Amino acid sequence: MIVCTAIKKVSRKCKYAVLIGLLLSVLAWKASFTGDTNKTIDDNFAITQTEEDKLRDELNSRIAEASHTNISAEKDECPEKSPLLVGASKLTFESSLNLKDVEKENKVVTKGEYEPSDCKARHSVAILIPHRNRERHLLYLLHHLHPFLQRQQLHYAIYVIHQAGDATFNRAKLLNVGYLEAIKDFSWECFIFHDVDLVPENDHNLYICDQQPRHLVVGRNVTGYKLRYKGYFGGVTAMTKDQFFQVNGFSNNYWGWGGEDDDLRVRVEQQKMKIVRPPANVARYTMVFHKRDSGNQVNKNRMRLLRQTTKMWRVDGLNSCLYDTLSVGRYPLYVNITVNIGQPQS
Ligand code: UDH
Ligand code: MN
């Protein structure tokens, strides 16, 4: 009994001791905000502050960098004359060339589209290529055209309009389809209507539009670099979105080879526009050799159709172009539009 009372007294004393101990610790902690202890904390804080400053600086510079790249609309305009042009170049057509290599050479192109990274392009241009069964020619053209257009510092995209089936070929209607489909992607200011087998030899031949429709092929290797005939408006031509719209595009009724380019010339002239060409020494092309394709025989109706252009242009063209889009493939180097454009009537 006596022992028990003694233990109780001791434990009560212990409780007091613990309480006093706690009180002292609180006082000591409060005191630590002044004097030597304070210095230690400040030092620690100073280290953290420096690191934080560093991080903040880094972050700020990253934000500055990011906003610099983000405001591409505010990039300086590309120079009026691209400093990247090299003039005439020797074209090669290696049989060993393949699409994977051309893709590797053009990593800057995505889904057929490119814009300069260091300046704001002055021109936006859609290249439209009518196509069927000319894969090798397409590969050579892509190989040369992508770097050529990049040296011109253009914002561009390449569209290949592929005629499905084996009905008679219709180059002009495919180009109408290309125009109608491309403007769904972007409001391209300028359109280049481009044969698959014509490769430009000189990058001073600028792929841009003007106040007047432009014909870019003055000479081809196969015709001694002479204009085929006065008024020739075929091969590669450049028209603004508005010029092409104004003439109601190409006629849809030229099935087989020939006449559709002359028809476009008639439409242009009827609108009092005047075809212009770059100087002969730069408007030079190499045509990859080929024979007449099956399914693209000479169009025997072409002269008869041409006589009707002046009265038919209003109702035959972009506003009457009927087709079924079978697929749109956005490949690294071009947009492929496979289309059913029907077949000649009768
Ligand atoms: N095209 C095709 N596939 C075809 C037919 C034409 O892709 O089956 C396209 C291609 O873009 C081509 C363009 O339509 O560049 C014009 O057709 P083309 O190259 O046949 O026309 P071109 O005037 O040749 O160059 C005509 C026939 C050449 C016969 C040579 C015999 N001396
Ligand atoms: Mn050809």
Side-chain angles (χ1 to χ4, degrees), residues 92-99 101 136 139-140 143:
T92 55
F93 303 91
E94 304 284 343
S95 56
S96 57
L97 191 71
N98 64 63
L99 188 61
D101 292 340
R136 198 78 212 152
L139 182 63
Y140 288 139
H143 174 59

Side-chain angles (χ1 to χ4, degrees), residues 107-233:
K107 291 233 173 72
V108 286
V109 180
T110 43
K111 295 180 183 167
E113 186 173 355
Y114 169 86
E115 352 191 16
S117 59
D118 52 349
C119 60
K120 186 178 170 342
R122 287 174 179 262
H123 310 275
S124 69
V125 186
I127 318 289
L128 309 182
I129 304 169
H131 177 254
R132 183 169 71 185
N133 199 23
R134 295 277 197 103
E135 275 68 24
R136 198 78 212 152
H137 293 180
L138 179 59
L139 182 63
Y140 288 139
L141 183 62
L142 293 170
H143 174 59
H144 286 106
L145 206 51
H146 275 295
F148 172 96
L149 297 168
Q150 287 156 30
R151 292 199 299 277
Q152 297 189 356
Q153 298 187 308
L154 304 172
H155 171 207
Y156 72 85
I158 296 184
Y159 292 87
V160 173
I161 309 94
H162 178 221
Q163 180 171 337
D166 49 16
T168 308
F169 196 72
N170 187 331
R171 174 180 180 269
K173 187 165 182 183
L174 291 172
L175 292 170
N176 278 345
V177 171
Y179 175 93
L180 293 168
E181 290 297 307
I183 50 175
K184 291 180 186 168
D185 282 348
F186 185 77
S187 181
W188 302 103
E189 294 155 14
C190 177
F191 289 81
I192 312 277
F193 305 98
H194 208 300
D195 276 7
V196 75
D197 52 28
L198 289 173
V199 185
E201 296 179 5
N202 188 319
D203 59 17
H204 290 121
N205 189 1
L206 299 179
Y207 274 32
I208 59 176
C209 287
D210 203 344
Q211 301 290 84
Q212 303 297 331
R214 301 180 69 227
H215 184 218
L216 303 184
V217 191
V218 174
R220 306 183 300 171
N221 59 333
V222 286
T223 49
Y225 294 105
K226 297 258 163 45
L227 195 65
R228 277 176 69 189
Y229 54 91
K230 190 174 174 304
Y232 175 50
F233 194 41

Side-chain angles (χ1 to χ4, degrees), residues 170 173 176-177 180 245 247-253 255 267 312-323 341 345:
N170 187 331
K173 187 165 182 183
N176 278 345
V177 171
L180 293 168
F245 185 77
V247 301
N248 197 17
F250 279 99
S251 163
N252 299 302
N253 295 333
W255 299 89
R267 289 169 182 243
M312 291 302 287
W313 73 274
R314 249 182 235 282
V315 290
D316 166 26
L318 286 173
N319 64 358
S320 64
C321 182
L322 297 177
Y323 59 96
I341 54 168
Q345 305 295 304

